[in-house]
Amino acid sequence: MSIILDNVSYVYGQNEGYIKQALKDINLVIGKNEFIGLIGHTGSGKSTMTQILNGLLVPTTGNMYFEGLDTKEKNFNKKELRQKVGLVFQYPEHQLFETTVFKDVCFGPKNMGLSQKECELRAFEALTMVGFDSELFYQSPFELSGGQKRRVAIAGVMAMKPEYIVLDEPTAGLDVIARDELLEMLRDFIEKDEERSILISSHISSDLETLCDDLYMIHQGKVIMHEDTDVLLSDYALLKVDEEEYSKLDRQYILRTKKESYGYSCLTNQKQYYAENYPQMAIEKGNIDEVITMMIR
Ligand code: ADP
Ligand code: MG
């Protein structure tokens, strides 16, 4: 089963007398036990997309299918969608509101109608899973550091045991160690249960390239690239060529070209082809940031 975005567009402001197109013709699939990365600069549409995935926003055009059901159908169960697709907001402050951390994490399970005992058990489990210090369980969530708040927000979602977790820029504002811990924890979470899937957005590609199976890059509301991470790392490269080499270059597998002082830098998704046919050529294994920069051009 899966979540499918089928040609989804989203426009803000239609009822307020302005139009801001935030997403355009998005196609995306989250299957079972997948770890999906969404990379894009600020304003590219990441938060809009994550809110569509858990039903907070409804596509202006196009459809979202959840476990085979059209979410725009009249009798589609939206409450169930929000429980099965847990969303961790970009700003944890938007998610925390109870007087203590523990109560906050109990909120989701309580809302699902679980017994007090079950809620507390789940809150305890979830806070432990995110590595939250038990001495702070009864502290106000608003007195915590940014990193701790984020852990609580994530625990609050995990406590509902959703099948999909969508995290909107969860590593923003964290130092390198906290970031690695968080990413490690998410990996554990998905490995514990084959039914679970995660989508995580970030503007930092290094977060995602080591973690995700599948990467989507968005720019100005459009998916400009969707690729298996393995393929991206093994088959994409930058060819650095001078004018003469460029004139002789077979350009059928060149995705983008950029003028440089020495000639051209060319992005390909067929590194092996060029390595075999142009053994003298300078071929650099581009990192994901370079690939994005080229794709945006
Ligand atoms: P990201 O999370 O990648 O920074 P967003 O999804 O927040 O991107 O925003 C996508 C685009 O939609 C941006 O141009 C942003 O200014 C615009 N936008 C976001 N929220 C609103 C809103 N409530 N009203 C109008 N425009 C919005
Ligand atoms: Mg955002």
Side-chain angles (χ1 to χ4, degrees):
M1 284 307 217
S2 56
I3 301 180
I4 299 172
L5 297 185
D6 179 22
N7 235 19
V8 162
S9 297
Y10 190 83
V11 175
Y12 285 103
Q14 273 184 325
N15 300 326
E16 289 95 53
Y18 67 96
I19 284 185
K20 169 69 208 177
Q21 176 131 30
L23 293 177
K24 198 165 188 313
D25 304 332
I26 301 284
N27 294 302
L28 174 136
V29 179
I30 313 178
K32 275 279 166 306
N33 209 226
E34 283 188 337
F35 209 134
I36 298 201
L38 180 64
I39 303 180
H41 295 303
T42 301
S44 57
K46 300 182 298 298
S47 295
T48 306
M49 180 149 21
T50 55
Q51 289 173 72
I52 284 178
L53 289 170
N54 102 324
L56 271 182
L57 298 176
V58 177
T60 310
T61 58
N63 285 318
M64 177 168 115
Y65 297 91
F66 177 71
E67 313 292 35
L69 301 172
D70 184 343
T71 57
K72 278 188 173 171
E73 285 287 320
K74 233 169 63 205
N75 50 6
F76 178 79
N77 188 338
K78 286 203 170 127
K79 188 170 178 210
E80 189 178 305
L81 175 68
R82 291 202 190 134
Q83 287 172 358
K84 290 195 171 168
V85 184
L87 172 61
V88 180
F89 287 89
Q90 180 169 2
Y91 305 101
E93 290 79 8
H94 293 176
Q95 200 150 352
L96 306 172
F97 47 86
E98 288 281 5
T99 48
T100 72
V101 165
F102 200 73
K103 270 194 195 162
D104 220 303
V105 180
C106 284
F107 179 84
K110 216 170 178 176
N111 216 18
M112 291 167 71
L114 301 174
S115 71
Q116 183 66 20
K117 200 170 164 197
E118 175 70 12
C119 293
E120 288 176 6
L121 193 67
R122 284 190 178 204
F124 186 81
E125 255 177 21
L127 283 165
T128 308
M129 183 174 274
V130 301
F132 191 80
D133 184 354
S134 59
E135 290 192 358
L136 301 175
F137 277 14
Y138 300 100
Q139 189 111 18
S140 158
F142 300 99
E143 288 162 8
L144 302 170
S145 70
Q148 297 285 30
K149 273 185 198 155
R150 205 172 286 277
R151 280 172 202 258
V152 176
I154 294 172
V157 169
M158 284 182 170
M160 295 199 285
K161 301 204 173 164
E163 285 164 28
Y164 300 85
I165 291 198
V166 175
L167 301 109
D168 192 9
E169 303 218 37
T171 59
L174 300 185
D175 61 40
V176 179
I177 293 171
R179 205 159 83 198
D180 282 351
E181 281 175 3
L182 174 76
L183 297 174
E184 187 61 34
M185 179 193 90
L186 293 175
R187 207 195 315 264
D188 277 357
F189 183 74
I190 194 168
E191 278 170 3
K192 279 207 174 93
D193 185 341
E194 285 177 11
E195 295 292 299
R196 287 173 183 159
S197 300
I198 293 183
L199 178 137
I200 169 172
S201 84
S202 181
H203 64 275
I204 308 166
S205 56
S206 59
D207 278 356
L208 304 183
E209 63 183 65
T210 51
L211 197 66
C212 298
D213 315 312
D214 214 13
L215 289 174
Y216 287 82
M217 296 178 190
I218 59 169
H219 181 61
Q220 295 176 347
K222 287 189 225 157
V223 173
I224 53 166
M225 183 158 139
H226 168 218
E227 197 66 90
D228 277 2
T229 314
D230 290 347
V231 172
L232 200 61
L233 296 175
S234 66
D235 295 355
Y236 281 66
L238 295 169
L239 315 177
K240 311 267 167 141
V241 295
D242 60 23
E243 297 279 354
E244 198 197 329
E245 284 173 310
Y246 185 70
S247 67
K248 291 182 192 151
L249 189 68
D250 173 357
R251 285 172 223 161
Q252 63 173 319
Y253 303 117
I254 299 299
L255 303 173
R256 294 287 190 278
T257 300
K258 185 179 165 210
K259 186 86 187 78
E260 302 279 8
S261 55
Y262 53 80
Y264 295 93
S265 160
C266 305
L267 176 69
T268 179
N269 59 355
Q270 298 284 341
K271 179 167 82 183
Q272 284 74 4
Y273 174 81
Y274 291 99
E276 278 162 26
N277 291 292
Y278 302 88
Q280 309 301 331
M281 194 178 287
I283 300 181
E284 276 183 19
K285 180 183 164 301
N287 66 29
I288 289 181
D289 283 323
E290 284 171 316
V291 173
I292 298 173
T293 310
M294 289 290 272
M295 289 306 291
I296 285 174
R297 295 171 64 80

